[in-house]
Amino acid sequence: RMEVIHLSGYSLEEKLNIAQNYLVKKAHENTGLEDRPLSFSRDVLIDIIKSYTRESGVRELERLIKKVCSKAARSLVETK
């Protein structure tokens, strides 16, 4: 016999706070942009969370933020 177990994940506000306080800073450091003015607005982060992440955690959100930072770093290198 199998039963469905519903596990709660992070809410939108919790994911937003985690992204603003930890994930964006971590992505800046990992991509070498810590001294560059790249910021994510609240609306952009909410759009990423609502449209591109489906999981209860923040692993995919972290990957997407890092991907955006990597593209920005690549763009900076290519223009110089």
Side-chain angles (χ1 to χ4, degrees):
R1 174 176 173 196
M2 294 179 66
E3 293 186 29
V4 177
I5 301 173
H6 296 282
L7 302 173
S8 63
Y10 293 114
S11 68
L12 175 67
E13 285 298 319
E14 289 172 329
K15 286 184 180 185
L16 183 62
N17 286 332
I18 291 169
Q20 288 175 332
N21 296 328
Y22 302 105
L23 300 180
V24 172
K25 292 175 189 175
K26 184 177 176 183
H28 273 128
E29 292 170 2
N30 289 341
T31 56
L33 291 172
E34 57 269 337
D35 59 339
R36 302 290 179 173
L38 178 68
S39 63
F40 289 83
S41 70
R42 180 180 170 87
D43 293 334
V44 168
L45 289 173
I46 289 173
D47 190 43
I48 290 172
I49 293 167
K50 284 184 175 180
S51 301
Y52 297 101
T53 61
R54 300 263 188 261
E55 64 183 0
S56 59
V58 293
R59 187 172 294 161
E60 183 69 15
L61 178 60
E62 180 179 13
R63 191 183 70 75
L64 290 170
I65 290 172
K66 186 176 177 184
K67 188 175 183 179
V68 171
C69 288
S70 295
K71 286 184 179 187
R74 189 177 319 117
S75 175
L76 283 171
V77 170
E78 289 175 350
T79 59
K80 288 187 177 183

